[in-house]
Amino acid sequence: MLLRAHPRLLLPVLAAVVVGALTGCSLFDRGPRGNPAAQPSASAGGGAQLEIPTTVAVGQVSLIQRLGEDGPLRTLSVERGGAWQCLDCAGDGVTSRGTLAPELTERLQVLLANPALADETDQARRYRSTCIDALTSSLLTSTGLITSQDCPGEERTPVAGEILLLLTQATPAEVKG
């Protein structure tokens, strides 16, 4: 009943619960010396499987997307050198891997190093979701979590919006909404 009274709170809370439940860690879990905790990954079938990240190092980024409450959770992680792994990127349950072109890797690093990114985090903006059943995209950067929804009237953050566009155009992660 409480969730029906505050539907705007449902999606961010649901995303945080899903991320926490799937990883068993908090979003701010840090290892010794403030380094991100290690993320071991192995599937039940014995092959490697991408886990949903809870932290990323400088120069890395993860994109977590979901269309509505019941849509599949797509996760894309990009390393500093441009190598990427995507779990359910096209919504088909397939894990994909690749490497960004050198010029895209360089552009991504410039965007991730932009000091303005700190002003675009959910915490700095006091972000609240505004739509139900919209595509929600969350970028996890070393600066913090940056969430956006693909719905009328929501303004994209300039730097994070450019990162989102770069990632979705250069990988199988497609913005569908």
Side-chain angles (χ1 to χ4, degrees):
M1 284 285 178
L2 182 60
L3 292 178
R4 290 179 189 212
H6 299 288
R8 285 189 235 165
L9 298 176
L10 180 61
L11 205 47
V13 169
L14 180 62
V17 169
V18 168
V19 169
L22 290 176
T23 62
C25 303
S26 77
L27 212 92
F28 304 104
D29 189 23
R30 296 275 178 177
R33 298 185 187 162
N35 293 330
Q39 296 293 321
S41 62
S43 66
Q49 181 180 2
L50 179 68
E51 290 189 8
I52 296 174
T54 55
T55 59
V56 295
V58 173
Q60 297 176 330
V61 62
S62 290
L63 168 62
I64 302 165
Q65 291 184 310
R66 172 169 274 163
L67 181 57
E69 291 180 33
D70 301 325
L73 190 65
R74 299 185 301 216
T75 305
L76 170 71
S77 292
V78 183
E79 298 295 322
R80 185 169 181 74
W84 57 264
Q85 293 182 321
C86 192
L87 179 63
D88 201 18
C89 244
D92 56 6
V94 174
T95 298
S96 303
R97 291 174 176 77
T99 304
L100 296 176
E103 62 276 4
L104 293 177
T105 301
E106 185 178 331
R107 178 70 183 138
L108 178 60
Q109 291 307 310
V110 168
L111 291 168
L112 289 171
N114 188 328
L117 199 58
D119 295 331
E120 297 181 10
T121 65
D122 291 356
Q123 184 176 6
R125 295 182 296 144
R126 295 189 173 116
Y127 181 79
R128 294 179 58 167
S129 63
T130 56
C131 295
I132 298 173
D133 291 332
L135 176 68
T136 301
S137 300
S138 297
L139 289 170
L140 182 59
T141 70
S142 62
T143 306
L145 185 66
I146 304 166
T147 305
S148 62
Q149 286 189 298
D150 199 16
C151 60
E154 179 157 333
E155 292 183 32
R156 291 257 184 208
T157 53
V159 180
E162 202 170 329
I163 293 170
L164 179 61
L165 186 61
L166 184 152
L167 295 177
T168 56
Q169 289 181 343
T171 68
E174 294 179 25
V175 176
K176 298 175 186 173

